[in-house]
Amino acid sequence: NGVHYTPPDLAMFLAEVTIRHATVRDGPVVALDPACGDGGLLYALAQAVPARVRRHLRLVGYETDPVAAAGAEENLRSAGVDAVDIRRGDFLDDIAGNHAGIASSPLFAAPGEAVERYDIVISNPPYVRTQVLGADRARRLAATFDLNGRVDLYHAFIKGISLALRPGGT
């Protein structure tokens, strides 16, 4: 299917750079990979954080491929973190909730509603050109995520990630 996961050496490099720039506080730290594949980036992130942080680290990954999601769960069992939550589903659907226009997204919750935000996001978003996505899906993504021009799937992921990151997150 043209799927290429991030090689382990590159995953570790990205994790180390991410942690170097992160403001990691004491207490729970929640990290997201919105298209986690086999969990390689989340695993590298877990290895890159200091041990004191790893004990409080919760890894969240989204994956649409059930085989890859099962592989991620298996791979992350030995990460030594507080919790692993691999969600079998589409991150973009969770963020936008099937509504036209990002302003109606679940991230813009009514007062008192909880909105899930992440301290750290590490990702190698899928790159899928408009021609492969199909015109209808590209138009829906453009409308939902307020995108212009030629839409690649990673454009929607970048917008969704920016909305999922907590203020001050990395």
Side-chain angles (χ1 to χ4, degrees):
N1 292 332
V3 175
H4 300 282
Y5 295 136
T6 308
D9 289 345
L10 181 55
M12 186 53 75
F13 170 77
L14 292 172
E16 288 170 351
V17 168
T18 300
I19 294 305
R20 233 185 347 256
H21 289 88
T23 303
V24 181
R25 64 188 196 284
D26 289 333
V29 175
V30 184
L32 167 70
D33 183 344
C36 72
D38 64 1
L41 284 169
L42 290 171
Y43 186 84
L45 186 74
Q47 301 315 299
V49 299
R52 67 174 172 75
V53 174
R54 193 174 307 128
R55 291 190 307 265
H56 305 288
L57 182 61
R58 180 173 159 232
L59 302 176
V60 177
Y62 280 82
E63 182 51 55
T64 58
D65 178 348
V67 174
E73 288 172 339
E74 176 74 24
N75 293 337
L76 294 170
R77 278 192 195 134
S78 64
V81 298
D82 179 49
V84 173
D85 180 6
I86 302 301
R87 300 172 183 178
R88 287 168 170 79
D90 190 323
F91 167 76
L92 296 177
D93 286 346
D94 263 11
I95 289 297
N98 299 323
H99 297 287
I102 202 68
S104 62
S105 147
L107 286 171
F108 294 86
E113 285 185 45
V115 174
E116 187 166 23
R117 299 289 181 132
Y118 300 92
D119 301 295
I120 298 170
V121 178
I122 188 167
S123 184
N124 181 1
Y127 297 88
V128 181
R129 294 174 38 204
T130 304
Q131 297 87 334
V132 176
L133 282 175
D136 289 342
R137 177 106 196 262
R139 274 193 291 276
R140 282 194 312 273
L141 286 171
T144 301
F145 290 97
D146 194 27
L147 301 170
N148 296 307
R150 289 187 177 206
V151 175
D152 190 298
L153 190 56
Y154 81 89
H155 295 131
F157 269 88
I158 297 302
K159 184 74 172 255
I161 287 167
S162 71
L163 295 168
L165 196 60
R166 76 164 171 77
T170 302

